[in-house]
Amino acid sequence: MFQGKQITIFGGSGFIGRNIVRELAQKGARIRVACRDVEAAKFLKVQGVVGQVTPVHIDVTEGLSAIAPAVEGADMVINLCGILYESGRNRFDAVQGTAPGLIAGAAAKAGASRLLHVSAIGADAGSASRYARSKAAGEDAVRGAFPAATILRPSIVFGPDDDFFNRFGAMAESFPFLPLIGGGTTRFQPVYVDDVANAALKALASDEAAGKTYELGGPKIYTFKELMELVVAQTGRARRLVDIPFWAASIEAAFLEWLPTPPLTRDQVILLKSDNVVSEGALTLADLGVTPTACEAILPTYLDRFRTGGRYNRFRAA
C-alpha cells in the first residue's frame, strides 16, 4: 500500500509525527517532512534508507505559496500541525484554523489520493476556548476543500516524548505537590502514541475511512486526579495533590502565559472545564482495527527517570 508512495507530512517532526514517519518508512514510503526547523528534524533521516525521509522548510502561517510546493507530486498528505499555546506568528486561527484548509486545497489540486488531518477531541465551534474553536474551524475547512479526507481526533496522547506525563513527572521531581485544577474531576482518555500512528496508517490504507472522523482514546477513562496519582505512583514520589479552583488557576495562568514556554495558559484552563473523552457513538480505534494500549503498560518505561536516584535505582512502581 505504501511502498514507493510519496507522502508529505506537515508537522512530521513533532511527537506524533515522528512515530508516523517511522511506521511509514518501515513500509517503504518516500516521506517529505514539512516543518519549520529543518535542522531539528534531521534526526528523522535515520528512520529510513538514504534519501527516503527528507525534511523541508515550510511555515504554514505563510499561506498557500509556502504550502503548495510541499505537496507537489504527493500521493498522500498528512497534516499534524498544531500548537498548545500562541507565540509570535503561531496563532490558533492561523495554524489550526486556516492552514488545514489551505493544505487540503493544495493536496486536492496536486492530485493526492488521500488526506489525513489530525485534530483533537473537544474541537467545537461553540467552545469558549480559542484552541477548541480553531480546531473545529480547521476540520470544517478540510472537509470543504477535500471531502474524502479522514479526520482523527485523539484525546491526550502519551508516550516517551509526550508533553503531559513528562511535564508532571518533572514537577513531581522538583516540587512538593501536584496541582488538581478545578478539583481534578475533569475526565481524560489517554491514547498511546503508537496506537495513534497505527490508526493513521490504517486510515490511509482504508477506502472505508475516507470522509470519516474517528475519536481516539485509550481503554480506560481517568479523572485528572487519577492521572496525577499515576504520576505519583510511577515516580515513587510522595507528593501532595492540591486542589486549585478554576478561578485561581486562571489568575496564575495570566502570568504564566507570558513565559517563553508557558506551563499553563488561561485558554488551557478553559479546556480543563470540559471532559476530554470519546463521544458516545463515535467511530474509534476499534473501527480501524487497533486495540488500545493502557497507560499502566507504558508509563513505567519512561517515567522511571523521575524516580529518586533515576531509572537505575531499585525502586519499581507497584
Side-chain angles (χ1 to χ4, degrees):
M1 174 66 192
F2 300 107
Q3 182 68 41
K5 297 291 186 181
Q6 178 69 61
I7 301 177
T8 296
I9 307 179
F10 288 88
S13 60
F15 172 44
I16 297 175
R18 66 190 63 179
N19 288 275
I20 294 178
V21 168
R22 180 194 67 232
E23 296 299 318
L24 285 172
Q26 290 176 357
K27 296 185 182 301
R30 294 178 295 120
I31 305 160
R32 185 182 298 143
V33 180
C35 56
R36 285 176 297 173
D37 191 342
V38 171
E39 288 299 316
K42 284 186 175 179
F43 73 95
L44 292 171
K45 289 186 173 184
V46 300
Q47 301 285 9
V49 299
V50 175
Q52 187 181 4
V53 180
T54 306
V56 295
H57 172 73
I58 297 291
D59 185 342
V60 297
T61 65
E62 294 178 354
L64 187 59
S65 61
I67 291 169
V71 300
E72 289 180 2
D75 298 296
M76 302 178 183
V77 176
I78 302 173
N79 178 37
L80 301 166
C81 292
I83 55 176
L84 295 175
Y85 57 88
E86 295 181 318
S87 176
R89 295 176 58 182
N90 294 313
R91 319 307 292 179
F92 290 137
D93 286 342
V95 177
Q96 300 177 165
T98 301
L102 297 178
I103 291 170
K109 186 175 181 179
S113 62
R114 296 305 308 274
L115 172 66
L116 180 73
H117 174 67
V118 177
S119 181
I121 286 179
D124 181 2
S127 174
S129 161
R130 290 181 295 112
Y131 171 91
R133 292 199 304 272
S134 69
K135 284 290 189 180
E139 290 185 8
D140 288 343
V142 166
R143 293 189 189 99
F146 201 120
T150 300
I151 296 174
L152 302 183
R153 292 176 170 178
S155 183
I156 290 175
V157 182
F158 70 91
D161 301 315
D162 71 46
D163 185 57
F164 184 82
F165 286 109
N166 278 302
R167 177 189 302 184
F168 288 106
M171 287 183 65
E173 184 179 39
S174 303
F175 298 99
F177 69 91
L178 292 177
L180 297 180
I181 298 175
T185 60
T186 308
R187 299 186 306 154
F188 298 88
Q189 197 169 347
V191 59
Y192 184 35
V193 67
D194 280 8
D195 293 340
V196 175
N198 288 336
L201 267 66
K202 296 266 191 180
L204 286 172
S206 171
D207 290 336
E208 293 184 1
K212 295 180 179 177
T213 298
Y214 297 81
E215 296 196 353
L216 311 184
K220 184 177 177 182
I221 293 173
Y222 307 79
T223 63
F224 188 82
K225 180 180 180 180
E226 289 170 336
L227 292 177
M228 293 303 97
E229 289 172 342
L230 273 178
V231 171
V232 169
Q234 294 299 334
T235 60
R237 304 275 181 174
R239 297 294 181 254
R240 293 178 56 214
L241 303 181
V242 178
D243 288 355
I244 300 179
F246 284 124
W247 64 265
S250 294
I251 293 173
E252 183 178 7
F255 295 95
L256 293 175
E257 63 189 33
W258 287 95
L259 296 174
T261 304
L264 186 68
T265 68
R266 284 171 290 180
D267 199 74
Q268 290 169 354
V269 174
I270 293 172
L271 285 172
L272 285 170
K273 295 180 181 181
S274 299
D275 290 339
N276 194 272
V277 299
V278 172
S279 305
E280 185 176 353
L283 295 173
T284 67
L285 284 172
D287 294 289
L288 290 169
V290 178
T291 301
T293 306
C295 285
E296 290 84 353
I298 304 299
L299 293 182
T301 67
Y302 64 97
L303 287 188
D304 56 355
R305 68 191 182 95
F306 298 112
R307 298 171 185 166
T308 301
R311 61 171 24 117
Y312 297 109
N313 72 357
R314 299 180 62 186
F315 168 78
R316 287 297 180 269

